[in-house]
Amino acid sequence: MAADNLPSEFDVVILGTGLTESVLAAACSRVGQKVLHLDRRNYYAGNWASFTFNSLLSWIQEYKAQQEMPSTESDQAWVGKIEEGEDMLPLSSVDSSIINLEVFSYASEESEDEEVVTPSVANSFPKDSEAANEEPSGSSVEPQHSDSPGDRTQGAAEPPKQETEPSEACKNRQMPETQQSNQSEESDKQEQPITRPAEAPIELNKRITYAKLLKEGRRFNIDLVSKLLYSRGSLVDLLIKSNVSRYAEFKNVNRILICRDGRVKQVPCSRADVFGSKQLNVVEKRMLMKFLTFCLDFEQHPEEFQGFSEKPFWEFLKSQKLTENLQHFVLHSISMADQEILTEEGLKATQHFLQCLGRYGNTPFLFPLYGLGEIPQCFCRMCAVFGGIYCLRHSVQCLVVDKESGKCKAVIDTHGQRISCNHFVVEDSYIREEQRTKTSHRQISRAVVITDRSVLSYESDQQISLVTVPPLEFSSPAVRAVELSSSSMTCMPGTYLVHLTCPASGSAREDLAPVISNLFHVPNSSGEEPMQGSEETEKPLALWVMYFNMRDTSGLDSSCYSLPSNVHVCTGPDASLGCDYSIKLAESMFNQLLPDEEFCPPAPNPEDIIYDGDGAPGEGASFEETNHAERSGPEGEGQPQENGQPSSESSEPAESTDSVAPETNTESKVQISPTEE
Amino acid sequence: MHGRVKVKSTAQQEEEKRKEREKKLKVYLSARDAVFSKKSNGVLDEEALQLTQQLLSSNPDFATLWNFRREILLHLETVKEEEEMQKLYELELLFTESCLKVNPKSYGSWHHRGWVSSRLPRPDWPRELSLCDRCLSVDERNFHCWDYRRFVVKASGVPVSQELRFTDRLIGSNFSNYSSWHYRSTLLPLLQPGTPSPCRKPAHVSPTASPQTHGHRVCEEQLLKEYELVQNAFFTDPNDQSAWFYYRWLLGRAEREEMISCVYVSREGERVTVAFSKLVNAPAEGLVLVLDGQPQQVEWRSVHPLFRHSPVWLCELPPGSISDINNEHNLTVHWTEKHTHRDCALYTGRLESWCRDSATDQELFRSELSIEKTSVLQSELQSCGQLLELEPQNKWCLLTTILLMRALDPLGHERETLAHFQTLKEVDPMRSSYYSDLCSKFMIENTILKMEYAEVRVFSLSDKNLSTLCHLDQLLLVTHINLSSNQLLKLPPQFAMLHCLKVLEADNNAIENLEGLYQLPKLEDVSLRNNHISKLSTLEPLVSCPKLIRLDLRGNPITKTANIQAELAQLLPSVTDLLI
């Protein structure tokens, strides 16, 4: 590995390739700092990563393996590297930021060519995660009872009807698996007794089997973190300001949906939506427009909300001449406020939402093609263009702390090399418990669902939607779902990828399973087929579901760690919809590191960069290739070092006149361009 | 280490760019010269095609080159096979497409594309339509593209219903787009009720024809859908004018029937005055005057030398033809162009006679909005009322409400109309003069109606803030008019249409111009107290009024002029009763 001959001196060493770390790396590198950017994983972006279906299964497997044999923190061979007057501070080699991972597959187990004759009932039995892990070439893993839902006490939030059956079914499945070679037939036989023969004709061509998911697995880019970009949020601003936007393409989120009384409806939020909405009468249209127009410059009309400054936003909404329907839309989908939010904050959130409208489309949001995991990589790329060095699967074992100054002088990497640095930036999950002053964490509940159709079908099946599911109880948080179609390049054609997120109150499954069974048809093995024409058959079928909790460290600051002053901890993704928290964090950290430098000034056009030293700029840049390979599956390609080969971009120069004007066809891709305004 | 980035300085960049520009210019100029020399030598070869392409791709607005290109292509048509031409023209399409990418509003490129499409042996119209779609999705207001689209639709016979759906889509994505609404207004009249998607033959489609000329043309079911659509738009954004304009078109603006609305004949002066329902140039309309069965040779003249087109025309009959008070005469005016005529009998002992349709008979002043089914208008008025409750300050809504009220019952809604006008002037002060004029117009209409109902020839409209005069052709028969205490600035030339006028009262205005007091044969008494008449020349038109005996000019600046009495006596010798 080329890592053997890493330079031994850097200005900044950054461990972890999540969004905040990557932005910081790009920012430092851009102003001439020597940056070494490392990640212990074999993929970019850490908890911000996107995975193909197959690589997600491997990721799940790794997680399971780690759960089974928790590797202990081992203090290794750094002793020889420590000099007198120095202390060492070990880092954690175990990532414990993901917990409560559970996987259920409801897709048919038949091989693809059988799918045409498969009765629907046989397709719909739940399986636990172990079956899901059986890749064509994979090895069989023993079931892990600790994780299977059958052993879990049922969450109180679950609807009673579903309470016993799914767990029953899962228990059934927990018999030792046979070898994977005849797996599918075996399971068919096993399931025979509890499935009824097919009675009703079913839409055969639409059936998506598990084998199909695996075969088309590369078409998926499944994000661990589900976020959108506010089109006037700090991430978009930064992408434009720094010229990093040239590395990415985006899709407009087309629809804002809300699930109310078990029905999914479109929320009219732009002028065009309000105009076209069939569910509002003309007076409601006027009232909504009037209210939204007021929100746009609410600061100018303080008299309108005078008495409400200490009262919650929803009370203010009630006082306006808005119908209940409209109050609901504004509260949950436009301001996305929770129940406690005060009037002014709610107005501000509504205003921000509205200001974002129309910049790139009819909703305020953008989603990056190929998944959110692209974004940290774009910043890494920028860092590499300006000389940053990249090593994946390469970590830091410990910090070398100067006893006298109490500062971190150097780090010792996993190869035992000592690398000195002025600043050390590290993602939270690398920090050992001993260095934390606060040990309890908030959690984010996440679920990923692969479905066979949209929660609200529409003329075009290529919609990207944000779905808000308001809480059933007044106090609990709303669940946010982002439904991606294959046009976002995150799932195979014919499927939809749904990301659900909410602040955790229990395990992810406890928090989200009720919402999932509300939005989707989740089959169970008891043979209870939804009646034809019943509500269940109209819901999308859940083909595959994954639950997990991610640690939410966003509330932590430097006082929560006992670390040298030049060690900076990047907290992970927060639970909110936008990326603003992480970007603002990166900027404030940058200002701390390099108070006199500008944060991400515009990068010059590639043709204006003069390369000295060895040779011409690498056409068809190496980073491009790696990126690509990365996308198609992390395992296998080591390529840990991106040795600073500056990459010249093939993408068009920033002043291209082709930049898409706002309010264009929403079907098209969006290229964020600095010349746009 | 390698990979350290140095960025070129701006001076370096500038210098490079300058050199680049110079180089480009040199190439461009030499190509241009080459093309011009070919053109003047009549060389129509493919090299010239190549050169013009090179030039046009950097400057697609070079019209001469497009013309030359067409010359070359026409020449090539004579020497090449159809198949070859098809290929060549397809390349032309690709080329114009790339030019349009450079400048999507290039006249030359769009025109050339249209030309090529019409020359193309086997045109691919769907492709052209999708080009329009793409282009309009980038800029929905690109009128070049709208024009081209209409051309393509016409040439390829795209069904009206499909185009209607296209406008649905565009309006759905942004309803502040008058192009789409307008296109809709051209399509709807073509949509036949009952035939879902009539495939129109190009010849029948005349999308350029103004929608206003189609009388009442949209079937009711479709009309109700349109009302719903447009209401959605103006309830969503009442300040957007495109929807309101479309709405007004929908509510209709019926054309008045072309007819002779009045024939007036007077023994004294042996004069015939004819009023038409629109402005005409009578000598060119083939008017024939028949008196007692005998066609007459007469000379038609308008009421004022300024008018070549006028709704009122007059002629003198040969001397002695009707002056005999003891005879009855029958008169007919034929309007041969329009196959219409009007009779008028002048009975024994009468000095004058007329024949006409009254304004009330014609529901004349409702035609601003059509005589649509009253129930429909009534419900539209309710919708506007609903919006007005929510948006009491919205000018479009106020104005439309006024129009609807006028269409339904002008006299019954007079008071509300005036109140709305008052609000309009307050919320939209920039257009307060427009509203004053419009309000004046409506007040005049109402007064005419009242006069008609009362069957009198006296028109009195004092102290009503009139800022302008109109519908004067309707006052042909009026003998007494009172316009006192308004805000009139002048008596316009149209005033000369009041051919029966004897007494004019227009005190307390701001009149400084009397052009319209011209050749009024019966005018005897003019009162213009407290106006702005300051010059003797202003009074000159009165010289042409033979019967003027009383003139009141008190309170005008002119009275301060020295020696005015004598000068006036000299100017207007017929005036015996002069008050100054």
Side-chain angles (χ1 to χ4, degrees), chain B residues 34-51:
Chain B
V35 168
F36 278 176
S37 88
K38 274 183 188 289
K39 187 169 182 289
S40 52
N41 297 327
V43 185
L44 302 170
D45 58 2
E46 296 196 30
E47 194 199 346
L49 216 52
Q50 200 55 50
L51 282 169

Side-chain angles (χ1 to χ4, degrees), chain B residues 274 278-284 300-314 469-473 490-499 513 515-520:
Chain B
V274 181
K278 61 166 199 171
L279 298 186
V280 296
N281 178 19
W300 294 100
R301 57 185 170 85
S302 71
V303 292
H304 195 281
L306 278 176
F307 300 136
R308 276 182 55 104
H309 288 80
S310 163
V312 178
W313 290 79
L314 51 106
L469 293 173
C470 59
H471 290 306
L472 292 168
D473 55 314
K490 60 178 179 181
L491 298 175
Q494 285 82 354
F495 207 80
M497 293 171 189
L498 278 73
H499 253 236
N513 180 324
E515 267 185 295
L517 298 182
Y518 175 78
Q519 290 193 352
L520 294 173

Side-chain angles (χ1 to χ4, degrees), chain A residues 337-549:
Chain A
D338 57 37
Q339 302 293 343
E340 293 102 64
I341 261 187
L342 293 180
T343 300
E344 210 149 330
E345 260 178 284
L347 287 170
K348 220 174 202 92
T350 309
Q351 185 186 42
H352 185 226
F353 182 100
L354 296 169
Q355 283 167 342
C356 292
L357 280 175
R359 189 180 200 185
Y360 299 108
N362 268 339
T363 75
F365 304 110
L366 294 175
F367 182 78
L369 281 189
Y370 303 102
L372 191 67
E374 287 295 293
I375 301 297
Q377 293 193 55
C378 291
F379 284 97
C380 290
R381 189 167 177 179
M382 174 63 95
C383 175
V385 167
F386 286 90
I389 294 183
Y390 277 81
C391 299
L392 293 183
R393 230 190 247 168
H394 196 125
S395 186
V396 168
Q397 299 181 57
C398 70
L399 313 181
V400 180
V401 180
D402 183 60
K403 276 183 180 163
E404 202 177 312
S405 66
K407 288 200 166 191
C408 170
K409 294 166 76 174
V411 299
I412 292 172
D413 73 4
T414 36
H415 295 262
Q417 189 185 351
R418 179 181 164 124
I419 299 163
S420 65
C421 61
N422 298 331
H423 290 283
F424 180 63
V425 176
V426 60
E427 184 204 310
D428 171 270
S429 68
Y430 291 83
I431 304 295
R432 286 197 179 190
E433 290 301 308
E434 300 95 275
Q435 269 78 48
R436 295 178 189 274
T437 56
K438 195 179 166 194
T439 45
S440 67
H441 296 292
R442 285 187 300 187
Q443 296 283 343
I444 300 167
S445 283
R446 288 273 293 115
V448 175
V449 188
I450 299 172
T451 68
D452 65 343
R453 74 187 114 146
S454 173
V455 288
L456 183 66
S457 45
Y458 194 64
E459 294 153 19
S460 154
D461 59 351
Q462 291 300 334
Q463 304 281 328
I464 299 180
S465 314
L466 170 65
V467 193
T468 311
V469 187
L472 292 171
E473 291 149 59
F474 200 68
S475 56
S476 47
V479 173
R480 204 178 64 228
V482 174
E483 185 190 69
L484 302 165
S485 66
S486 59
S487 66
S488 67
M489 312 305 266
T490 58
C491 57
M492 60 175 271
T495 64
Y496 288 82
L497 183 62
V498 186
H499 289 284
L500 294 96
T501 311
C502 73
S505 43
S507 78
R509 195 164 77 91
E510 287 161 1
D511 287 345
L512 297 172
V515 175
I516 286 178
S517 58
N518 198 356
L519 285 174
F520 309 107
H521 171 54
V522 183
N524 55 53
S525 65
S526 70
E528 186 206 295
E529 255 293 279
M531 299 298 287
Q532 282 296 318
S534 76
E535 238 176 69
E536 283 294 294
T537 53
E538 283 170 18
K539 292 179 181 175
L541 176 69
L543 297 167
W544 189 84
V545 184
M546 166 168 87
Y547 297 100
F548 63 90
N549 286 98

Side-chain angles (χ1 to χ4, degrees), chain B residues 218-288:
Chain B
V218 183
C219 72
E220 179 149 352
E221 190 191 349
Q222 184 68 32
L223 206 56
L224 291 176
K225 275 191 215 157
E226 296 301 307
Y227 283 136
E228 193 188 329
L229 184 72
V230 78
Q231 275 174 18
N232 274 334
F234 66 63
F235 269 89
T236 304
D237 186 353
N239 291 315
D240 184 85
Q241 59 180 20
S242 37
W244 287 108
F245 277 118
Y246 182 67
Y247 188 53
R248 272 176 67 179
W249 174 78
L250 273 182
L251 289 170
R253 180 190 286 265
E255 289 272 291
R256 280 185 66 192
E257 195 189 338
E258 292 179 323
M259 57 186 263
I260 298 173
S261 49
C262 179
V263 173
Y264 168 81
V265 58
S266 156
R267 274 196 215 268
E268 191 184 3
E270 296 178 273
R271 193 180 289 115
V272 178
T273 312
V274 181
F276 299 86
S277 59
K278 61 166 199 171
L279 298 186
V280 296
N281 178 19
E285 292 288 338
L287 287 186
V288 179

Side-chain angles (χ1 to χ4, degrees), chain A residues 271 285-286 290 610 614, chain B residues 2 6 176 235 390-391:
Chain A
R271 201 164 159 270
K285 288 182 183 197
R286 185 79 290 271
K290 205 169 177 172
I610 304 168
D614 29 19
Chain B
H2 64 261
K6 283 184 199 154
S176 301
F235 269 89
L390 303 170
E391 300 290 325

